Amino acid sequence: MNLPQERYTEREEMVKMQIASRGVVDPRVLTAMLEIPRHLFVPENLSSSAYDDRPLPIGHEQTISQPYIVAVMTELLELKRNSRVLEIGTGSGYQAAILSLLAEEVITIERIPDVADSAERLLKKLDITNITVITGDGSLGYSPRAQYDSILVTAGAPSLSCALIKQLSDDARIVAPVGGREVQELVVIEKKDGVIREFKHGAVCFVPLIGRYGWGGIEGCYHIDSKKNN
Ligand code: SAH
C-alpha cells in the first residue's frame, strides 16, 4: 500500500468531531478513516471540502457518502481480518478502500463503467491490492465469488434480491439502505445458524440502486416492512 500522509490533521479532526463524537467506537474503523486519504477520492475542484461533514458529488449524478455514514456502515459489518466482503456501488472507491484495511478481500461492483474505471485506477495507484472492481449490476450480488462474510450496499434499494441472502455465508451480515427513493432505513440482516434476523439503524439518504432488483427493476424478496426469504 502507498497511502500518502498529507492532510492527516484534517482526518484527525474529522474522526474526532464527526465520527467518534457520534458514537463510532471500533478502533479499527477509526484508524482506517485516519489512514485513507479521502481527498484523493473526490473531484479535484472539491478537494478543499473533502473532509466536510457531508456527501459530495463525484460526477455521473453519484456521490461519495458522508464520512460518518461510511464509518457507521463499516462498524455495523463487524468485519474480521479474514473476511471476504462484497460492496455494491463502488462509486469513488473510498468505502472499498476503508474496507480493504479491515478485511482480507474486497469485491466491489459498479454499474457505470467510467466510474468503475476511475475507482480501479485510483486504488491501483494507492497500491491497494486486495480489492477487485467489477463492472456490472450488483443488485444481483456477484455469484462467481460467493459466499461473502459481509455484503455492503451503498445505493438505496427499494427491496433486496434473495440472491444477496443466498450469497451470504453463515454467521454473516448484510448492511443496506432499503426503502424509498429519497430516504431509506439502514438495515442489518444477519444470518446465523441458518436463521435470518434483522434490525434497523435509522434513516439515511443514498442515491438510487438501479438494476434488475433496483429502481426500475423487479421486486426482491426482502422489503423494509415484510420479510419473505423464499
Ligand atoms: N460507496 C461509494 C458511494 C456509492 S454512490 C463511495 O465510497 O464513493 C452509489 C454507487 O452505486 C454509484 O456509483 C452508482 O452508480 C452505483 N450503483 C447504482 N446501482 C447499482 C447497481 N445495481 N450495481 C452496481 N452499482 C450500482
Side-chain angles (χ1 to χ4, degrees), residues 38 41 58-65 70 73 87-97 108-112 115-116 134-140 152-156 206-214:
R38 181 175 166 92
F41 291 83
I58 55 167
H60 298 269
E61 293 175 16
Q62 306 305 325
T63 54
I64 176 173
S65 306
V70 172
M73 293 200 298
E87 182 200 18
I88 298 163
T90 312
S92 66
Y94 177 68
Q95 173 76 72
T108 180
I109 180 160
E110 169 58 52
R111 63 176 278 273
I112 304 174
V115 173
I134 309 281
T135 304
D137 178 5
S139 71
L140 302 151
L152 176 60
V153 185
T154 65
F206 277 82
V207 293
L209 183 85
I210 293 164
R212 187 161 162 80
Y213 287 97

Side-chain angles (χ1 to χ4, degrees), residues 144-166:
R145 301 286 280 276
Q147 312 282 331
Y148 301 101
D149 303 303
S150 304
I151 299 178
L152 176 60
V153 185
T154 65
S159 63
L160 297 180
S161 152
C162 297
L164 288 191
I165 295 163
K166 287 199 184 111

Side-chain angles (χ1 to χ4, degrees), residues 13 58 66 94 138 188-189 196 202 211 219-220 226:
E13 188 75 0
I58 55 167
Q66 180 190 11
Y94 177 68
V188 178
I189 301 166
I196 307 281
E219 256 185 66
S226 63

Side-chain angles (χ1 to χ4, degrees), residues 13-173:
E13 188 75 0
M14 171 186 85
V15 166
K16 192 170 146 214
M17 304 303 291
Q18 303 173 27
I19 299 173
S21 67
R22 291 186 183 132
V24 175
V25 294
D26 185 336
R28 298 173 315 147
V29 175
L30 301 177
T31 304
M33 302 290 297
L34 279 176
E35 284 184 15
I36 297 296
R38 181 175 166 92
H39 61 278
L40 301 181
F41 291 83
V42 307
E44 247 171 68
N45 63 327
L46 294 174
S47 180
S48 62
S49 307
Y51 296 99
D52 289 1
D53 189 13
R54 59 185 167 114
L56 292 171
I58 55 167
H60 298 269
E61 293 175 16
Q62 306 305 325
T63 54
I64 176 173
S65 306
Q66 180 190 11
Y68 169 65
I69 293 293
V70 172
V72 165
M73 293 200 298
T74 307
E75 186 172 56
L76 286 172
L77 286 173
E78 295 186 354
L79 297 171
K80 299 184 187 79
R81 259 271 143 246
N82 62 353
S83 293
R84 177 187 293 177
V85 190
L86 175 68
E87 182 200 18
I88 298 163
T90 312
S92 66
Y94 177 68
Q95 173 76 72
I98 297 285
L99 297 173
S100 78
L101 296 185
L102 280 85
E104 185 169 313
E105 197 185 356
V106 180
I107 290 104
T108 180
I109 180 160
E110 169 58 52
R111 63 176 278 273
I112 304 174
D114 278 356
V115 173
D117 285 353
S118 331
E120 191 171 28
R121 254 182 282 122
L122 175 57
L123 295 165
K124 202 167 185 179
K125 198 165 133 202
L126 297 176
D127 205 18
I128 302 179
T129 54
N130 60 342
I131 302 179
T132 308
V133 181
I134 309 281
T135 304
D137 178 5
S139 71
L140 302 151
Y142 187 65
S143 59
R145 301 286 280 276
Q147 312 282 331
Y148 301 101
D149 303 303
S150 304
I151 299 178
L152 176 60
V153 185
T154 65
S159 63
L160 297 180
S161 152
C162 297
L164 288 191
I165 295 163
K166 287 199 184 111
Q167 290 171 27
L168 202 58
S169 49
D170 200 48
D171 199 5
R173 286 181 153 203

